[in-house]
Amino acid sequence: MEQEKSQKEIHHADDCPITATIDVIGGKWKPPIIWLLLKGPMRFGDIHKTMPGMALKVLSRSLKELEADGIIIRTAFPEIPPRVVYSLSDKGESLREIMHLLSQWSREHIMKLDEVA
């Protein structure tokens, strides 16, 4: 009887709240974009310069998705030539500790392994 009860309490992978987070901030490029913006606002070209191998189209799409999900704020200044700056929203800023912990975990468990190999 107790075993039946515990089996009913098993959740599906779709119920994992981490999956929802990864849908918003996951992928190859979104975490590094967020990590860069933790240091402060940046212009599109400056972000692109720090991401060798990233196509402009992919950067543009990633920034639009992060903006749509409320992680970053796009501020366009009415100047000639136009200037656009990206920064973290309050929601994006709330990722600071998580990003720090992920970075620390990576340094301890992944990058350390790369040094040994």
Side-chain angles (χ1 to χ4, degrees):
M1 180 98 168
E2 189 66 33
Q3 188 176 10
E4 283 181 40
K5 184 179 177 184
S6 66
Q7 286 180 350
K8 289 179 183 178
E9 293 174 6
I10 294 173
H11 300 288
H12 295 302
D14 293 344
D15 296 332
C16 175
I18 297 169
T19 302
T21 302
I22 297 301
D23 285 345
V24 173
I25 65 166
K28 182 176 181 178
W29 299 109
K30 288 181 183 178
I33 291 169
I34 294 167
W35 183 76
L36 286 170
L37 293 177
L38 285 171
K39 296 174 183 172
M42 294 180 76
R43 295 180 68 174
F44 183 92
D46 295 329
I47 296 171
H48 187 253
K49 286 176 192 173
T50 64
M51 304 246 192
M54 182 182 200
L56 291 170
K57 183 177 178 179
V58 174
L59 175 57
S60 180
R61 183 177 65 234
S62 296
L63 291 169
K64 285 178 184 175
E65 289 172 3
L66 287 167
E67 182 183 16
D69 288 325
I71 303 298
I72 64 171
I73 297 169
R74 179 185 185 273
T75 305
F77 295 91
E79 302 171 351
I80 298 176
R83 179 171 55 108
V84 176
V85 174
Y86 294 90
S87 58
L88 291 176
S89 64
D90 289 342
K91 184 177 179 180
E93 189 62 42
S94 72
L95 292 167
R96 182 175 294 277
E97 185 177 353
I98 294 165
M99 298 301 283
H100 173 72
L101 290 171
L102 286 170
S103 174
Q104 182 179 347
W105 186 88
S106 178
R107 286 185 177 112
E108 291 173 7
H109 299 284
I110 297 173
M111 297 173 102
K112 185 172 160 183
L113 296 175
D114 289 346
E115 292 173 5
V116 174

